[in-house]
Amino acid sequence: MKFTVYRYNPETGHEPRMQDFEIEVERGMMLRDGLIAIQDEDESFAFRHSCGEGVCGSDGVNVNGSNRLACITPLSELREPVVVRPFPGRPVIRDLVVDMSQFYKQYKQVDPWLVRREPMPEQEILQSPQERDRLDGLYECIMCGCCSTACPSFWWNPEKFYGPQALLTAARFIADSRDQTTAQRMDALDDPFKLFRCHTIMNCVDACPKNLNPTKAIGFIKAQMLKSSI
Amino acid sequence: MALQKPPVFLNLLQIRLPIAGIMSIIHRASGMLMVLLIPLSIYLLDLSLTDEQGFTAVGSLLHGTVGSLILLLLLWVLLHHLYSGIRYLLIDVEIGVDRPAYRYTAWAVTLLAPFSALLLLGIL
């Protein structure tokens, strides 16, 4: 199977280039296996990967133009030549490895933890099954970055717009019955860029390998803001 | 050497935009085009209202090949902007925000706009 991969080595000082590889594939191989085979041929080729089963979120790449997790993308689904590039819009460190600092910075901005104003109770804080259900579709995010790096609003304003991943996380804590800073969380997002730079393009929904829906989560935050303002 | 600015991959021709993304770009472009075409539309309206001669001049211009194409373009961008605007309003109230509905509606808007423009112009 023919592969064309993005190569960049900061030590050489050369511009990024595309390099072709011919890899022998077997039934059931995932894109990650293909990248490992390329690495066997050329050990200077760099990409991130770890769990190999779509849980750790390390091996997000742009393959044939779409952001996907290499470990759960079957090679049989891809058209030849398989063109693999790093995530769009992020500074490239080497080959497919990009600098995700800005992405993590935006995640941190939304205070991704539960905040209690009252003293902590002796036992766990109970939730009704209905309250727990509200977290479904929000908590499963593995932070691979496929969504935010597929979002045009994030491409043009990565410093000011939080991006779909961070906003999905913000919705997860706004929806949590145990969190006691819902109003503050929403106040913090009330800004022309942080939340409202989302233009409902929905590339994020297309890109998410866990089938989550950041657009719906953003809509949920907007609806909560509207409800609390009237 | 190591201090040089890292490269960024952001070649829009090499990134595959999903249909909803394509529809969104046309939505933006159509809005811009409509604004840019306002002076031309007003000029033609004004000319057609001055006297009988002006009216027939505009009429024959719009029935010519170039005129028809401009009219088709105007109608297409107007309808695309209208349909996609309605789609966005529906998504705002959680209608068609789920998979795969948003894909179908994006296809519907993108195909229906030129089709209904042709229909309205009586070409189809």
Side-chain angles (χ1 to χ4, degrees):
Chain A
M1 196 170 195
K2 278 196 173 61
F3 281 75
T4 305
V5 295
Y6 183 99
R7 300 301 308 266
Y8 171 70
N9 182 347
E11 282 151 29
T12 61
H14 296 308
E15 290 292 304
R17 65 192 169 93
M18 299 303 289
Q19 188 180 359
D20 293 334
F21 288 93
E22 181 81 43
I23 298 297
E24 218 165 289
V25 300
E26 286 163 33
R27 231 178 111 121
M29 262 172 87
M30 296 289 170
L31 175 59
R32 172 177 174 265
D33 302 314
L35 296 178
I36 291 172
I38 289 174
Q39 211 169 37
D40 287 342
E41 251 181 54
D42 179 349
E43 60 179 15
S44 71
F45 173 62
F47 75 105
R48 288 193 185 109
H49 65 113
S50 180
C51 75
E53 50 183 36
V55 175
C56 73
S58 304
D59 63 353
V61 289
N62 186 276
V63 54
N64 290 351
S66 304
N67 288 353
R68 305 181 69 166
L69 279 186
C71 55
I72 53 171
T73 301
L75 282 176
S76 57
E77 268 182 22
L78 300 173
R79 208 184 301 169
E80 274 186 82
V82 180
V83 182
V84 192
R85 292 191 168 89
F87 272 158
R90 297 291 89 218
V92 180
I93 297 171
R94 187 187 177 121
D95 299 337
L96 302 182
V97 181
V98 289
D99 180 358
M100 295 295 278
S101 309
Q102 187 62 39
F103 171 82
Y104 296 124
K105 214 170 130 188
Q106 301 300 42
Y107 175 66
K108 200 180 163 197
Q109 298 278 355
V110 302
D111 294 348
W113 51 79
L114 283 177
V115 182
R116 295 290 291 183
R117 290 284 182 234
E118 291 163 16
M120 280 295 188
E122 294 279 318
Q123 288 96 13
E124 65 269 28
I125 307 159
L126 292 179
Q127 280 188 307
S128 69
Q130 291 76 23
E131 286 170 338
R132 171 60 190 79
D133 283 349
R134 272 191 249 144
L135 304 181
D136 284 346
L138 300 173
Y139 80 92
E140 301 94 328
C141 176
I142 56 168
M143 296 186 68
C144 59
C146 284
C147 61
S148 290
T149 60
C151 171
S153 295
F154 193 72
W155 291 340
W156 315 131
N157 291 290
E159 285 93 23
K160 292 189 268 183
F161 175 54
Y162 280 174
Q165 193 284 326
L167 292 170
L168 182 95
T169 309
R172 182 246 171 275
F173 286 97
I174 287 170
D176 199 310
S177 61
R178 298 163 297 180
D179 190 88
Q180 294 182 324
T181 54
T182 311
Q184 289 91 320
R185 287 180 186 278
M186 291 196 292
D187 281 349
L189 290 172
D190 199 357
D191 170 284
F193 276 94
K194 292 171 184 171
L195 168 80
F196 289 99
R197 203 66 185 177
C198 167
H199 293 308
T200 332
I201 299 167
M202 297 187 80
N203 281 4
C204 54
V205 185
D206 234 73
C208 179
K210 306 305 276 185
N211 283 335
L212 305 179
N213 194 324
T215 304
K216 204 172 176 178
I218 291 167
F220 164 76
I221 301 177
K222 288 178 181 167
Q224 293 304 112
M225 280 180 165
L226 188 65
K227 266 185 214 162
S228 68
S229 69
I230 45 175
Chain B
M1 204 90 91
L3 285 174
Q4 65 174 333
K5 211 170 170 265
V8 171
F9 163 59
L10 195 55
N11 184 335
L12 296 187
L13 298 174
Q14 291 166 340
I15 296 169
R16 199 192 67 84
L17 263 191
I19 183 63
I22 293 169
M23 193 220 72
S24 166
I25 284 191
I26 308 176
H27 178 74
R28 291 271 187 126
S30 62
M32 194 115 83
L33 216 57
M34 278 197 296
V35 173
L36 292 176
L37 286 170
I38 286 175
L40 180 71
S41 316
I42 290 179
Y43 169 72
L44 289 179
L45 179 69
D46 182 55
L47 191 66
S48 73
L49 293 175
T50 17
D51 50 28
E52 207 187 320
Q53 252 182 334
F55 183 80
T56 40
V58 173
S60 58
L61 176 76
L62 292 183
H63 282 106
T65 322
V66 181
S68 305
L69 283 175
I70 293 176
L71 206 59
L72 183 65
L73 178 75
L74 251 176
L75 209 55
W76 171 54
V77 295
L78 174 74
L79 289 171
H80 185 95
H81 205 79
L82 178 73
Y83 296 158
S84 48
I86 293 170
R87 175 181 175 271
Y88 282 134
L89 289 175
L90 288 173
I91 286 177
D92 277 346
V93 290
E94 276 207 14
I95 298 173
V97 71
D98 286 307
R99 243 181 236 99
Y102 75 92
R103 269 187 215 136
Y104 295 153
T105 53
W107 272 113
V109 165
T110 312
L111 297 176
L112 210 62
F115 182 74
S116 47
L118 288 169
L119 210 65
L120 278 172
L121 278 182
I123 296 174
L124 283 182

